[in-house]
Amino acid sequence: MAFVITSACENEKAGECIETCPVDCIVEDQLQMYIDPDVCIDCGACEAVCPVEAIYPEDEVPESEQKYIQINRDFFKSKS
């Protein structure tokens, strides 16, 4: 998984990340956005435009936000 969207996106869903993603790997649900790790090309475009700074490379997710790595994985497992 290249990037993870964390709690700052919850109920925010600004959408700049979706518009910027060159491979359409960001999916929206009722709570927040999620990045599909199988589609993401690790370009970082989404991270640069997120107005709430909710997006991190997986290995840089703050300790307090680590649960979002699994939340993101679980979101896409449930879709397959």
Side-chain angles (χ1 to χ4, degrees), residues 5 9 13 17-18 21 24-37 39 72 75-76 79:
I5 299 178
C9 185
K13 302 190 301 184
C17 58
I18 290 176
C21 181
D24 297 323
C25 71
I26 301 173
V27 177
E28 178 180 3
D29 82 346
Q30 293 177 338
L31 182 62
Q32 71 174 67
M33 313 291 193
Y34 302 90
I35 297 175
D36 187 334
V39 179
N72 191 82
F75 178 82
F76 288 101
K79 300 297 178 196

Side-chain angles (χ1 to χ4, degrees), residues 26-66:
I26 301 173
V27 177
E28 178 180 3
D29 82 346
Q30 293 177 338
L31 182 62
Q32 71 174 67
M33 313 291 193
Y34 302 90
I35 297 175
D36 187 334
D38 294 329
V39 179
C40 181
I41 59 171
D42 197 23
C43 70
C46 59
E47 180 185 26
V49 299
C50 181
V52 295
E53 299 180 1
I55 304 173
Y56 296 88
E58 182 177 0
D59 60 352
E60 295 178 22
V61 174
E63 189 172 329
S64 63
E65 300 286 313
Q66 289 285 308

Side-chain angles (χ1 to χ4, degrees), residues 1-18:
M1 178 180 308
F3 285 85
V4 176
I5 299 178
T6 60
S7 67
C9 185
E10 287 182 3
N11 299 310
E12 172 62 38
K13 302 190 301 184
E16 286 91 334
C17 58
I18 290 176

